[in-house]
């Protein structure tokens, strides 16, 4: 499509490039997404946060978490860095089970005054859960209200699952109770994780 646009009198703009990069996410074409981003940067077509976020997502979905980190740390402009871009990078680390990098990105967001949201915390907590870091998952869950981010069902499920994997059955049950007190609906994941924790604890 971009080739056809270039062959016409229509000038290729950021929106066209962003559509092309976003199409790479579903197709798993992370190399092409990176290529489009680099072409934009070298052809005096300034990428926006959508451009960067889509490229990071393409790398993350393909398991290329190192490239996602590289874009955030070395390519993404510090000024105006968006929550969406960091969320995509943290999700890339979560998929790869890289909890240390996910936590580091969360700290990097704070240094740039980019506001984390519930998606940010959920991805970071899930990364900690996969890495067996139940204490960090609970710490993140507890810190959410401090920064005025309300935990949701996914937040509690990540924390309960982290406790289950670490055989902390009492904490898992406490979280299930907290979830209900917060008027959040527990689902199959919530209950199965709590039951799994109780099974490990012979309760």
């Amino acid at each position: 499509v971009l080739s056809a646009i270039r062959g016409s009198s229509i000038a290729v703009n950021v929106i066209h490039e962003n559509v092309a990069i976003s199409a790479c996410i579903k197709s798993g074409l992370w190399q092409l997404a990176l290529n489009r981003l680099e072409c934009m940067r070298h052809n005096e077509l300034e990428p926006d946060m959508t451009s960067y976020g889509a490229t990071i997502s393409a790398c993350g979905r393909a398991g290329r978490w190192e490239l996602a980190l590289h874009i955030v740390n070395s390519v993404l402009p510090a000024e105006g860095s968006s929550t969406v871009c960091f969320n995509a990078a943290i999700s890339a680390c979560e998929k790869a089970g890289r909890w240390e990098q996910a936590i580091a990105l969360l700290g990097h967001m704070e240094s740039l005054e980019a506001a984390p949201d519930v998606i940010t915390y959920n991805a970071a907590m899930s990364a900690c859960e996969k890495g067996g870091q139940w204490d960090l998952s609970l710490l993140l869950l507890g810190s959410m209200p401090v920064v005025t981010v309300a935990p949701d069902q996914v937040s509690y499920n990540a924390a309960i699952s982290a406790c289950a994997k670490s055989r902390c059955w009492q904490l898992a049950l406490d979280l299930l109770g907290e979830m209900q007190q917060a008027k959040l609906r527990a689902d199959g994941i919530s209950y199965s994780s709590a039951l799994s924790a109780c099974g490990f604890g012979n309760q």
Side-chain angles (χ1 to χ4, degrees), residues 24-202:
C24 295
I25 300 175
K26 294 181 180 179
S27 303
L29 301 174
W30 60 272
Q31 300 100 323
L32 183 57
L34 283 173
N35 177 262
R36 296 308 332 144
L37 184 67
E38 284 300 310
C39 286
M40 291 176 71
R41 296 177 67 227
H42 289 99
N43 291 333
E44 298 183 356
L45 190 60
E46 188 65 30
D48 58 17
M49 289 301 140
T50 300
S51 316
Y52 289 112
T55 305
I56 293 168
S57 292
C59 292
R61 182 166 291 194
R64 309 293 298 188
W65 63 272
E66 306 100 321
L67 289 173
L69 284 182
H70 172 71
I71 294 172
V72 170
N73 294 327
S74 305
V75 180
L76 183 68
E79 184 177 349
S81 296
S82 76
T83 301
V84 172
C85 292
F86 276 96
N87 286 353
I90 292 173
S91 293
C93 294
E94 179 267 325
K95 289 181 177 66
R98 298 284 175 170
W99 65 270
E100 300 100 326
Q101 286 80 4
I103 295 298
L105 283 171
L106 185 58
H108 190 28
M109 285 184 74
E110 295 173 355
S111 69
L112 295 177
E113 298 184 353
D117 58 17
V118 68
I119 297 173
T120 315
Y121 278 96
N122 288 350
M125 289 170 63
S126 182
C128 291
E129 177 257 319
K130 288 183 177 179
Q133 304 297 313
W134 64 270
D135 50 344
L136 278 178
S137 290
L138 293 183
L139 183 63
L140 289 172
L141 181 66
S143 67
M144 292 175 72
V146 178
V147 292
T148 64
V149 176
D152 61 8
Q153 182 190 72
V154 176
S155 311
Y156 275 98
N157 283 352
I160 293 171
S161 180
C163 291
K165 289 186 176 179
S166 298
R167 307 190 177 190
C168 301
W169 64 271
Q170 186 61 64
L171 287 174
L173 292 180
D174 289 345
L175 288 169
L176 190 60
E178 285 182 22
M179 189 177 184
Q180 294 168 343
Q181 289 175 6
K183 301 186 185 310
L184 292 172
R185 180 178 174 273
D187 61 4
I189 296 174
S190 316
Y191 288 114
S192 63
S193 295
L195 287 171
S196 176
C198 291
F200 283 132
N202 296 319

